[in-house]
């Protein structure tokens, strides 16, 4: 069964153009082609990157955040409550009005106090500012390394300057060691992002991020097996270009350097929109869809790789809409709007509002007590003190 599945999966019709078989891709002492088994190396390399990341964040990023004045907010903690904690962990984090009433009765608390408990409990699960700073520092370090590695690997390659060269001799294009290691670096990094997804900062585009990582891993893996190495390297360099500006924008935002953050965001927006909406469609999509047909006829691998590339482009359009909206707000208001993908802190305004309500309620109770006591005294039904205090401190009976 497994052998039949293996033979079906690796039919040359799926992976290679018509007229080319796996026998034509046999290696020799001087010629090496991509081998699917090489992709297994990305898993241990990804685990190594996870270890390096943990060490980097603890030894470099966290101390750096302290020196640069990045401070975590002191969040009030939710008081231990087994009933509310069970509901929070098993049902939902944000209960509806009817559920709040039911929980308030079970715990013998007011609805407002139950709301406050859930608000504080949600804030306890939100990532701290130092965690966000550390994650941004790690990604910035990697994107800088990978981007300049890609430039160093590709600057003397003909397909970087003439895109038709991506298909010269395809698929019998020998794999150079520098391209192999560049592929392993990128693939291992995206595997490491998948491994750390449960622990990373979750933003509002979390589902889109998962789709992006999955499409990227499939694209890198398939392009390696089908020897779309040249197209794959162009895709990776284009993506890393804008990411090099995104992460430092986050870093300066956490540091409260507003002007620097705004300037970097505008640069990032320009690089992102140009690279993802102009360069990527022409250099990659048009190249793969049109130029490749000058060399071979369509086959399964041709359609599959184009579908993956189009999925990436749809994600580019989605994120571009968010970026354009933020730039539009910046032009109108003169200041950068908060990242719409970020999870917002609930405690500050809501806690202050609750304190004001409590003060108002206490004031109303106090006023009610005072007026009621005055009413009793005026009617003479219960005289509490029938003496009048004089200015010299002596008392005189009425």
């Amino acid at each position: 069964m497994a052998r039949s599945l293996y033979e079906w999966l690796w039919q040359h019709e799926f992976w290679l153009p018509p007229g080319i078989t796996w026998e034509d891709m046999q290696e020799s002492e001087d010629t090496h082609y991509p081998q699917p088994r090489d992709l297994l190396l990305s898993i241990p390399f990804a685990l190594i990157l996870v270890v390096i990341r943990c060490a980097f964040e603890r030894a470099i990023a966290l101390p750096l955040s302290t020196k640069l004045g990045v401070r975590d907010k002191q969040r009030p903690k939710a008081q231990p409550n087994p009933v509310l904690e069970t509901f929070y962990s098993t049902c939902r984090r944000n209960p509806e009005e009817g559920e709040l009433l039911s929980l308030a009765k079970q715990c013998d608390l007011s609805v407002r106090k139950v709301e406050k408990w859930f608000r504080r409990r949600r804030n306890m699960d939100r990532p701290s500012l130092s965690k966000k700073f550390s994650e941004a520092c790690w990604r910035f370090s990697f994107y800088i390394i990978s981007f300049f590695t890609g430039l160093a690997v590709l600057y003397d390659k003909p397909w970087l300057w003439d895109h038709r060269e991506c298909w010269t001799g395809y698929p019998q294009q020998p794999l150079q060691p520098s391209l192999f290691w560049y592929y392993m670096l990128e693939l291992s990094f995206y595997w490491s992002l998948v491994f750390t997804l449960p622990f990373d900062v979750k933003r509002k585009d979390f589902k889109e991020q998962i789709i992006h990582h999955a499409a990227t891993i499939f694209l890198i893996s398939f392009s390696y097996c089908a020897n779309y190495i040249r197209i794959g390297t162009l895709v990776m360099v284009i993506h890393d270009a804008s990411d090099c500006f995104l992460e430092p924008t986050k870093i300066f935002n956490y540091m409260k350097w507003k002007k620097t953050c705004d300037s970097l965001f505008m640069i990032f927006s320009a690089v992102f929109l140009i690279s993802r909406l102009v360069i990527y469609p022409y250099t990659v999509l048009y190249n793969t869809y049109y130029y490749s047909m000058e060399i071979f006829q369509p086959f399964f691998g041709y359609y599959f790789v184009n579908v993956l590339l189009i999925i990436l482009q749809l994600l580019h359009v989605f994120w571009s809409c968010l970026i354009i909206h933020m730039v539009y707000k910046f032009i109108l208001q003169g200041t950068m709007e908060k990242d719409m993908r970020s999870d917002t802190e609930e405690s500050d305004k809501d806690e202050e509002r609750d304190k004001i309500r409590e003060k108002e309620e206490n004031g109303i109770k106090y006023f009610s007590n005072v007026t009621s006591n005055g009413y009793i005294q005026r009617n003479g039904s219960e005289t509490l003190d029938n003496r009048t205090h004089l200015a010299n401190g002596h008392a005189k009976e009425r």
Side-chain angles (χ1 to χ4, degrees):
M1 179 70 177
R3 184 173 180 82
S4 299
L5 180 63
Y6 178 84
E7 292 177 351
W8 174 84
L9 178 63
W10 292 105
Q11 295 181 68
H12 62 266
E13 291 86 359
F14 290 165
W15 301 89
L16 301 174
I20 304 294
T21 65
W22 290 116
E23 285 74 18
D24 299 319
M25 302 294 294
Q26 294 296 324
E27 294 185 327
S28 63
E29 293 183 0
D30 300 327
T31 304
H32 299 280
Y33 295 112
Q35 300 297 323
R37 62 176 179 271
D38 298 338
L39 297 176
L40 296 175
L41 292 173
S42 64
I43 303 300
F45 288 161
L47 296 176
I48 293 173
L49 281 179
V50 171
V51 173
I52 294 174
R53 173 182 174 175
C54 293
F56 173 86
E57 291 184 353
R58 290 188 179 184
I60 298 177
L62 283 176
L64 184 62
S65 68
T66 303
K67 290 184 179 181
L68 294 177
V70 178
R71 298 286 183 270
D72 294 331
K73 290 184 178 180
Q74 296 297 324
R75 298 168 178 168
K77 294 184 178 180
Q79 296 297 323
N81 190 310
V83 175
L84 299 181
E85 184 65 37
T86 301
F87 185 92
Y88 181 87
S89 57
T90 58
C91 297
R92 68 179 71 191
R93 299 173 57 182
N94 199 352
E96 297 178 354
E97 185 176 355
E99 294 168 333
L100 286 172
L101 291 172
S102 176
L103 291 170
K105 290 180 181 179
Q106 293 180 47
C107 301
D108 195 21
L109 296 172
S110 66
V111 174
R112 188 171 299 142
K113 288 185 176 180
V114 174
E115 287 179 336
K116 183 190 295 185
W117 188 94
F118 275 96
R119 182 167 58 251
R120 291 182 173 181
R121 185 65 182 84
R122 288 193 297 269
N123 284 336
M124 289 171 61
D125 285 347
R126 286 190 171 88
S128 63
L129 203 60
S130 58
K131 177 177 174 58
K132 293 180 180 180
F133 180 90
S134 300
E135 181 178 313
C137 283
W138 164 250
R139 297 197 182 200
F140 172 62
S141 302
F142 178 84
Y143 288 135
I144 283 289
I145 292 172
S146 62
F147 177 65
F148 284 101
T149 298
L151 291 181
V153 168
L154 295 177
Y155 82 97
D156 60 344
K157 303 300 187 292
W159 63 87
L160 181 63
W161 314 105
D162 183 2
H163 306 319
R164 280 187 168 87
E165 288 292 328
C166 290
W167 312 107
T168 301
Y170 180 83
Q172 295 170 309
Q173 298 170 337
L175 176 64
Q176 301 176 19
S178 59
L179 298 178
F180 168 79
W181 289 111
Y182 181 44
Y183 249 73
M184 286 298 107
L185 177 67
E186 291 281 353
L187 183 58
S188 301
F189 175 70
Y190 281 102
W191 272 122
S192 72
L193 292 182
V194 172
F195 295 158
T196 57
L197 269 177
F199 314 104
D200 287 343
V201 176
K202 291 180 176 62
R203 303 183 185 276
K204 293 181 181 179
D205 63 344
F206 180 71
K207 294 180 180 179
E208 289 80 6
Q209 287 285 354
I210 294 177
I211 296 173
H212 174 268
H213 296 340
T216 303
I217 289 173
F218 275 115
L219 179 59
I220 294 176
S221 301
F222 182 82
S223 65
Y224 186 86
C225 294
N227 205 12
Y228 282 106
I229 298 291
R230 298 183 179 183
I231 282 292
T233 54
L234 295 178
V235 173
M236 293 186 292
V237 167
I238 291 172
H239 279 71
D240 289 342
S242 59
D243 291 333
C244 291
F245 293 97
L246 174 61
E247 300 306 326
T249 302
K250 296 179 184 178
I251 291 173
F252 284 109
N253 180 46
Y254 303 145
M255 293 168 55
K256 309 299 182 184
W257 290 24
K258 190 64 177 173
K259 292 183 178 180
T260 306
C261 174
D262 291 348
S263 301
L264 278 174
F265 183 81
M266 296 303 292
I267 296 173
F268 159 75
S269 301
V271 174
F272 185 94
L273 296 176
I274 293 173
S275 62
R276 307 291 180 92
L277 299 184
V278 179
I279 297 177
Y280 177 85
Y282 173 71
T283 303
V284 176
L285 290 181
Y286 184 77
N287 187 8
T288 307
Y289 178 79
Y290 181 75
Y291 287 156
S292 61
M293 293 297 93
E294 297 177 355
I295 307 299
F296 54 80
Q297 295 299 313
F299 64 106
F300 175 81
Y302 164 83
Y303 294 113
F304 187 71
V305 75
N306 275 284
V307 167
L308 293 177
L309 293 172
I310 290 173
I311 290 175
L312 282 183
Q313 182 61 21
L314 293 176
L315 292 172
H316 296 164
V317 173
F318 169 78
W319 284 313
S320 296
C321 292
L322 297 181
I323 292 170
I324 292 172
H325 177 77
M326 295 179 70
V327 172
Y328 176 74
K329 290 289 186 181
F330 175 77
I331 294 173
L332 290 182
Q333 301 174 1
T335 182
M336 190 60 61
E337 187 185 49
K338 183 177 178 63
D339 187 356
M340 291 180 292
R341 303 175 308 139
S342 299
D343 201 4
T344 55
E345 188 84 21
E346 294 179 275
S347 60
D348 294 340
K349 293 182 179 179
D350 294 329
E351 289 289 343
E352 291 176 4
R353 192 181 300 115
D354 284 343
K355 289 179 181 178
I356 292 173
R357 285 177 179 173
E358 289 177 2
K359 287 181 180 179
E360 289 176 350
E361 289 178 355
N362 292 335
I364 292 171
K365 290 179 181 179
Y366 176 76
F367 179 76
S368 177
N369 290 335
V370 170
T371 53
S372 61
N373 287 338
Y375 175 80
I376 292 172
Q377 290 178 15
R378 283 194 301 271
N379 285 273
S381 59
E382 185 177 339
T383 304
L384 298 179
D385 192 352
N386 58 357
R387 293 179 298 175
T388 303
H389 290 272
L390 301 178
N392 59 5
H394 296 285
K396 178 182 176 182
E397 295 291 338
R398 290 180 179 172

